[in-house]
Amino acid sequence: MGDRKRRICIIQNVLMLLIGSFISQLYASDDVTFYESFDETFEGRWIVSEKEDYKGVWKHVKSEGHDDHGLLVSDKAKKYAIVKELDEPIDLKDGTVILQYEVRLQNGLECGGAYIKYLRPQGAGWIPKEFDNESPYTIMFGPDKCGATNKVHFILRHKNPNSGEYIEHHLKYPPSVPSDKLTHVYTAILKPDNELRILVDGEEKKKANFLSNDDFEPPLVPPKTIPDPDDRKPEDWDERAKIPDPDAKKPDDWNEDAPMEIEDEDAVKPEGWLDDEPEEIDDPEATKPEDWDEEEDGEWEAPKIDNPKCEEAPGCGEWKRPMKRNPAYKGKWHPPLIENVNYKGVWKPQLIGNPDYFELDRPNFDPIAAIGIEIWTMQDGLLFDNILIASDESVAESYRGTAWKPKFDVEKEKQKAEEAADSEGLQGVQKVVFYYLYKVADLPFLGDHKFKFLDLLEKAEKQPNLTIGVLISFVVVFFTILLKLVFGGKKPTKVPAKTETKKSDAAETSKNQESSKEKEEQNEVPAAPRRRTTRREN
């Protein structure tokens, strides 16, 4: 029995060694052209730019919540530049090439880039510590977000074989940047059949073709013909398809001054119309407050309500005939349009052969000689990790499964737990905040403003989507009243009721008073006093 266990143990150890050897061979195979895990410090291997503009400090730190290290953007609102020269340039012209890396926006990304530049061989005398935004690259790939910009860039700098000029070709309609603070992995797959695929977290977000006019702006292959820049439109060229009839004359009976609407002479005042009754009357139940001071508050007048007599009648006040469309109205006269016999169409310059045109079967990629990160960002906490260049899609997939996915799953679960906790915590905080706000609304110096405050608080509690705005209004009005009391030297001014106060307002007041009374019983908030009446301004 003991021998059998020993044999099983030996077999297991051999299998583990074989699996480990297979994985190490996979990662060390020719399919992996470059890999940077940042398990060790970047110092001595990556070169930080010494150009004056780049003051941002790169750090080698652990990703929050993991033992995995990365390259960190440590300061806000600064420029960063760092570069890694490759031992041998990587040829992009033959076979499949996969560009992949991870980035985690630990503090979010409101304005800045987190992309990587794959540099072509630099000019003579160039040294890595002089890396900056002018250092020419072959491909720029990765997230960029600021204002209206929110995209995963893919930019190819391609050399026109005729002119020798390098042109930036931007991928049209690129995918957007994930808005959370989790680790995400970005993958660009360049295929020998000119296909480009962009993956985010292993999921395909964009497929394009390098030679398609619909996928890059401007297209890699220029048009065969172009408008002649020296061609000019002849002076007698007429582009008007129709013209006003020169023989047309305005009819004698055409009145341009007739109004668009006139009174309806056939209209009759409805029977029972109360000409002598106003639409609004003084509220008969309103009384002047005992503490009303006419010297300070002005002459008191009762608020207005709808005239109850008008509710039973077709209308009140002065009756006027309604307006109707004027049948004589014709507006300003214009001569009719006729076909232009001299019309020659819309002028366009003639086409000539494009001197920059060339045919292309495959993009003329420059090789990748170095990998650089050159960015400007308002955020700190950007963490780069696991930069990979490979020639086999299964290798890139394997790295995503072993290096990225475990971290992402942990972060995702933590995010869900934090969101749940924040939701519960917010509800508890809201209860405490509203409790004390009701206490504040009960302060004696608020006087007649107390009712409005209570009304605001009730709306904020019942409509969570308005809570923030209502509370801000509460605070602003509260401190405005407080400042008036401290610096004004007078009693708080009575709040005037709107002159168009309706019966419905009185009913709403009664309803709110009942609601405030319930609040008093439940939350120890006294019932609001009756609404103050208005005054006549001096």
Side-chain angles (χ1 to χ4, degrees):
M1 190 70 177
D3 292 339
R4 185 170 179 271
K5 287 184 178 180
R6 279 194 296 272
R7 286 196 297 271
I8 293 174
C9 184
I10 291 171
I11 292 172
Q12 288 176 339
N13 289 334
V14 170
L15 288 174
M16 291 299 293
L17 288 172
L18 289 173
I19 293 172
S21 175
F22 172 76
I23 294 175
S24 64
Q25 287 296 321
L26 176 65
Y27 282 9
S29 69
D30 294 337
D31 293 331
V32 177
T33 312
F34 173 83
Y35 178 61
E36 174 60 81
S37 65
F38 293 107
D39 289 338
E40 299 177 359
T41 180
F42 62 88
E43 295 177 357
R45 298 184 300 109
W46 289 69
I47 306 301
V48 177
S49 175
E50 296 181 2
K51 285 294 190 72
E52 183 179 356
D53 290 345
Y54 299 94
K55 303 295 185 182
V57 177
W58 296 96
K59 292 184 179 180
H60 178 246
V61 300
K62 288 183 179 180
S63 180
E64 294 180 6
H66 307 293
D67 290 331
D68 188 40
H69 286 77
L71 182 65
L72 179 71
V73 170
S74 62
D75 299 312
K76 297 180 179 180
K78 290 187 177 179
K79 291 183 177 181
Y80 292 80
I82 191 170
V83 66
K84 166 69 174 176
E85 284 193 296
L86 304 181
D87 296 334
E88 295 289 339
I90 299 174
D91 188 1
L92 302 179
K93 294 182 180 179
D94 298 320
T96 297
V97 178
I98 296 99
L99 309 176
Q100 179 172 287
Y101 73 101
E102 299 172 15
V103 66
R104 184 180 185 187
L105 313 176
Q106 296 180 132
N107 298 325
L109 183 63
E110 295 179 3
C111 187
Y115 41 77
I116 287 180
K117 291 182 175 180
Y118 299 87
L119 308 184
R120 69 173 189 255
Q122 306 297 294
W126 183 85
I127 54 178
K129 65 182 180 181
E130 294 181 350
F131 172 51
D132 61 10
N133 65 322
E134 298 296 329
S135 301
Y137 62 85
T138 294
I139 291 173
M140 190 176 92
F141 171 54
D144 186 20
K145 183 178 180 182
C146 192
T149 299
N150 184 347
K151 64 180 71 174
V152 179
H153 278 296
F154 187 93
I155 303 174
L156 171 65
R157 297 193 74 177
H158 190 263
K159 183 179 181 180
N160 185 307
N162 293 340
S163 66
E165 180 184 6
Y166 279 92
I167 305 295
E168 283 190 359
H169 302 275
H170 293 246
L171 177 67
K172 289 183 178 179
Y173 315 116
S176 57
V177 181
S179 58
D180 53 45
K181 301 178 181 180
L182 310 179
T183 300
H184 294 282
V185 57
Y186 298 90
T187 309
I189 302 174
L190 290 67
K191 304 286 287 185
D193 61 356
N194 298 322
E195 181 183 87
L196 169 67
R197 295 167 56 213
I198 304 296
L199 281 59
V200 179
D201 297 343
E203 180 181 350
E204 183 178 297
K205 297 294 185 178
K206 176 71 176 181
K207 180 184 286 187
N209 189 291
F210 282 109
L211 303 186
S212 170
N213 292 347
D214 297 328
D215 291 335
F216 281 87
E217 179 63 38
L220 266 71
V221 179
K224 287 185 178 182
T225 58
I226 60 172
D228 184 355
D230 298 323
D231 197 9
R232 297 291 181 269
K233 182 172 71 172
E235 293 182 1
D236 61 347
W237 191 280
D238 196 337
E239 294 183 320
R240 299 173 299 166
K242 291 187 177 184
I243 59 173
D245 185 354
D247 298 326
K249 294 183 179 180
K250 183 173 71 172
D252 294 336
D253 61 347
W254 191 286
N255 184 2
E256 293 184 333
D257 299 325
M260 184 181 294
E261 290 185 331
I262 58 175
E263 285 188 354
D264 185 358
E265 298 294 340
D266 297 329
V268 178
K269 181 171 64 175
E271 185 178 353
W273 188 279
L274 305 178
D275 297 87
D276 299 328
E277 288 291 340
E279 294 183 3
E280 292 184 334
I281 61 172
D282 291 344
D283 185 355
E285 298 181 0
T287 57
K288 183 171 69 174
E290 295 180 359
D291 61 345
W292 191 275
D293 188 335
E294 292 193 356
E295 291 185 1
E296 290 191 9
D297 302 330
E299 182 181 351
W300 179 86
E301 62 179 16
K304 299 291 185 180
I305 63 171
D306 285 341
N307 188 343
K309 295 181 180 180
C310 297
E311 295 180 1
E312 300 176 357
C316 291
E318 181 185 0
W319 180 82
K320 296 181 180 180
R321 285 188 174 88
M323 304 295 289
K324 70 175 184 178
R325 182 172 179 80
N326 182 3
Y329 172 76
K330 295 184 178 181
K332 186 174 179 61
W333 181 84
H334 296 278
L337 296 177
I338 61 173
E339 298 293 332
N340 182 6
V341 294
N342 297 319
Y343 174 66
K344 295 183 179 181
V346 177
W347 182 86
K348 295 180 181 180
Q350 63 179 346
L351 298 178
I352 61 174
N354 185 358
D356 294 330
Y357 173 75
F358 58 87
E359 294 183 354
L360 197 65
D361 295 327
R362 175 107 169 105
N364 187 25
F365 295 108
D366 281 334
I368 297 174
I371 297 174
I373 304 174
E374 186 274 318
I375 57 176
W376 175 85
T377 177
M378 295 301 294
Q379 268 69 50
D380 57 356
L382 277 64
L383 191 73
F384 293 85
D385 199 6
N386 294 318
I387 302 174
L388 171 72
I389 301 178
S391 59
D392 189 331
E393 293 184 51
S394 63
V395 174
E397 183 179 0
S398 177
Y399 273 85
R400 291 195 299 269
T402 57
W404 165 75
K405 192 64 164 63
K407 290 187 295 186
F408 178 81
D409 289 342
V410 170
E411 294 162 10
K412 191 71 174 178
E413 290 301 317
K414 183 180 179 182
Q415 177 182 267
K416 291 180 180 178
E418 289 175 348
E419 290 174 351
D422 288 344
S423 177
E424 294 176 0
L426 180 60
Q427 293 177 0
V429 170
Q430 284 179 331
K431 291 180 181 178
V432 174
V433 169
F434 276 105
Y435 172 79
Y436 285 105
L437 286 176
Y438 275 111
K439 291 289 187 183
V440 171
D442 193 34
L443 293 175
F445 77 83
L446 292 178
D448 295 334
H449 298 284
K450 176 179 178 180
F451 171 80
K452 292 184 176 294
F453 283 139
L454 292 175
D455 189 45
L456 279 173
L457 292 178
E458 289 177 14
K459 290 179 178 178
E461 278 190 308
K462 294 176 181 178
Q463 304 180 57
N465 59 317
L466 301 179
T467 298
I468 299 299
V470 171
L471 294 184
I472 291 174
S473 302
F474 183 99
V475 173
V476 171
V477 175
F478 176 83
F479 280 103
T480 300
I481 296 171
L482 185 61
L483 290 173
K484 284 184 179 179
L485 285 176
V486 173
F487 299 104
K490 295 182 179 181
K491 297 191 302 181
T493 304
K494 307 299 184 293
V495 180
K498 295 182 179 179
T499 56
E500 61 270 15
T501 304
K502 305 288 190 282
K503 271 191 173 183
S504 57
D505 292 335
E508 183 67 20
T509 299
S510 176
K511 180 180 178 182
N512 286 333
Q513 288 174 345
E514 294 176 3
S515 176
S516 298
K517 187 173 182 181
E518 293 177 1
K519 286 287 181 184
E520 176 186 13
E521 297 173 354
Q522 298 176 5
N523 300 316
E524 301 181 357
V525 178
R530 182 170 56 83
R531 180 181 293 189
R532 298 298 298 271
T533 50
T534 188
R535 63 186 175 90
R536 187 186 307 277
E537 298 293 345
N538 292 325

